[in-house]
Amino acid sequence: MITIKEIDKKNTYPVRHLVLRKGKPIESCYFEDDEKDSTRHFGLILDEKIVGVVSLFEKKNEYFNENEQFQIRGMAVLDEYQQKGYGKLLIQEVENYCLKLNIDLIWFNARESAKSFYQKLNYKTNGKPFDIKNIGLHYIMFKKLI
């Protein structure tokens, strides 16, 4: 049985570590603003195991004019559970959460390898790719919700 629900930030770290920060210290999985009251962490649970996570931060990006913006960070699905639609379910959960709050826009920095995944979910790129040191090439991506 698949469940998606809000989870504690600490429960995102093992999945973030295995997918996004392999070979780096577990401390690299902590993000600034993880602990803010407005931040939400969601976990996709399959058979009582967290196999996917995504975090949502109330954060404006200067490239967009919308008043109400949230940023996705730490989107990760364990390797053995990828290509099964679980990432799409997590993104849909985040979008539904934002729609309930009348959020205008969701944006994030997407790894080059994830760009096509997000494009299939109707996210668009903004600007040219840029490099995040020790992580790789990224694109700013976004979707207007309202």
Side-chain angles (χ1 to χ4, degrees), residues 9-140:
K9 68 183 177 306
K10 291 176 187 164
N11 293 328
T12 67
Y13 300 162
V15 178
R16 286 181 186 175
H17 191 241
L18 287 171
V19 179
L20 302 174
R21 300 289 193 263
K22 264 183 209 163
K24 295 181 173 35
I26 191 78
E27 295 79 24
S28 70
C29 297
Y30 171 81
F31 298 151
E32 184 180 342
D33 298 333
D34 261 347
E35 297 179 23
K36 283 182 82 175
D37 289 340
S38 60
T39 299
R40 295 290 177 264
H41 306 281
F42 297 91
L44 187 140
I45 300 157
L46 182 64
D47 299 326
E48 301 181 29
K49 178 181 179 180
I50 297 174
V51 302
V53 297
V54 64
S55 297
L56 190 62
F57 299 84
E58 185 177 9
K59 190 167 187 175
K60 287 189 98 164
N61 184 314
E62 64 187 28
Y63 292 112
F64 304 108
N65 295 322
E66 285 73 13
N67 288 326
E68 302 296 328
Q69 300 179 25
F70 269 72
Q71 178 188 16
I72 290 174
R73 288 199 70 191
M75 170 66 185
V77 175
L78 294 174
D79 289 348
E80 60 269 31
Y81 297 95
Q82 291 181 10
Q83 306 293 319
K84 298 181 185 305
Y86 299 146
K88 179 180 178 179
L89 292 174
L90 281 165
I91 293 298
Q92 289 171 335
E93 183 73 21
V94 164
E95 289 177 0
N96 289 334
Y97 177 84
C98 287
L99 285 168
K100 288 177 190 170
L101 296 178
N102 294 315
I103 302 303
D104 300 316
L105 179 126
I106 295 174
W107 69 275
F108 50 87
N109 297 324
R111 291 174 186 230
E112 184 175 37
S113 60
K115 181 181 167 192
S116 65
F117 165 77
Y118 292 113
Q119 286 174 323
K120 289 176 189 169
L121 298 174
N122 298 314
Y123 284 84
K124 298 179 180 0
T125 58
N126 184 52
K128 295 183 179 187
F130 60 96
D131 189 58
I132 295 179
K133 187 178 179 183
N134 299 322
I135 297 175
L137 201 59
H138 283 68
Y139 293 83
I140 293 176

